[in-house]
Amino acid sequence: MTLPDASQKAIDDYLTALRRQLRDLMEEDMNDIVEEIRAHILDKTTAGADPAQVAHTLAALGAPRDLAARYCTEEMMRRAEAHRSNTQKARIAGRWTVGILAGLLVLLVSAVGYSLGGFLIIIGIAKLMWPKGTGLWEANYPDGTWGLGFSGGSGNAPPANSHDLLGWWIYPIGFILGPAILYGTFRLGRWTLRKLWPSRKKFNYATTEPQTEI
Amino acid sequence: MEENQTVNPESADKWEIQLRKGSLELAILAALWGGRLYGLEILRHLESGSDLVVAEGTVYPLLTRLRALGLVESEWVESDSGHPRKYYTLTAAGRERALEMGRTWARFAASLNNLLTPLNGAVKKETP
């Protein structure tokens, strides 16, 4: 059905005003109400209806504010309130689940990262103290078995039947890669936690203590 | 004193409005007894079947309230007019409520008619 622009505008303005007055209801209810009133207006308006005819139809419905007030009954407001609190509950539960899972993952990655970084630094220091007994040893035993492992601090002599795979490379690995892994783990953990709780700082603004950056 | 003795036409009107409003819920449930209808059909049904002058802006909020109470359910149906219409149907709870309200109404009307017996002669004279 086609309507003159002025008539269409009058209908649109009425429905916009009605929607604004219904803002306290559930969005689904609000849309449903506005669409039903639109259908009613269109059913009562013939094609090509002039603005006066449209105005008559709108007047029969009452002012948007009065019509909206009739919709905002106790039942409808309770429905909106219940929906709001359910959505809120679901959002909080979802945020907690994601937070806990991400927290566990950060914990696991951090544990591995800090252990590995710390271990490499210790191996570097051990190499300084016991250069001959520290290294990544590959062992070929007489019985045919094979072994691979770091050792250090158990005497200043290589383990039996073994040779060092790293040699002096153990220094850059211990003193550059080790701290790099520690720093990388720290940065990754801090970044993840900031992503998870971006508003953390905002809520702590009142504390006099310097902000703890995790 | 004299003011108190005259009938205030405004309060008589208010009483009638309240009476219409109070009975509108039952009238709508009864209108839907025969099957599904959309808002404007319900309005036309009420106007054609009675002398209830129903404000259009009253019926739609009431239908929404009845739906929130689970007494009616609604569905959008495409129509030839080019826009969908929202049809209402009574739910089982709605049918039960309509019957219960209908019984209450009949009982109330019968007992009030009894009380009105003394007025009957005067009312009949007034009505042509």
Side-chain angles (χ1 to χ4, degrees), chain B residues 24-38 41-42 45-46 63 66 71-73 88-103:
Chain B
L24 191 56
E25 185 175 327
L26 173 59
I28 289 177
L29 293 178
L32 291 170
W33 191 265
R36 70 174 194 183
L37 295 173
Y38 63 92
E41 278 181 327
I42 295 173
H45 178 89
L46 296 178
L63 282 165
L66 293 175
L71 300 178
V72 301
E73 53 193 10
Y88 292 89
T89 326
L90 281 181
T91 61
R95 296 187 88 80
E96 205 174 299
R97 176 102 174 111
L99 281 175
E100 187 190 311
M101 285 178 84
R103 276 194 292 264

Side-chain angles (χ1 to χ4, degrees), chain A residues 1-19:
Chain A
M1 183 175 76
T2 48
L3 285 170
D5 287 351
S7 302
Q8 189 61 54
K9 188 179 177 307
I11 295 173
D12 291 344
D13 287 351
Y14 184 90
L15 294 174
T16 305
L18 178 64
R19 180 181 289 278

Side-chain angles (χ1 to χ4, degrees), chain A residues 148-159:
Chain A
L148 181 75
F150 271 108
S151 75
S154 57
N156 200 5

Side-chain angles (χ1 to χ4, degrees), chain A residues 40 44 56 60, chain B residues 20 24 27-28 31 37 39-60:
Chain A
H40 170 87
K44 290 209 73 173
H56 180 74
Chain B
R20 286 174 192 277
L24 191 56
I28 289 177
L37 295 173
L40 193 55
E41 278 181 327
I42 295 173
L43 267 162
R44 284 175 181 153
H45 178 89
L46 296 178
E47 282 167 0
S48 67
S50 69
D51 62 349
L52 277 175
V53 183
V54 185
E56 292 174 1
T58 313
V59 169
Y60 288 101

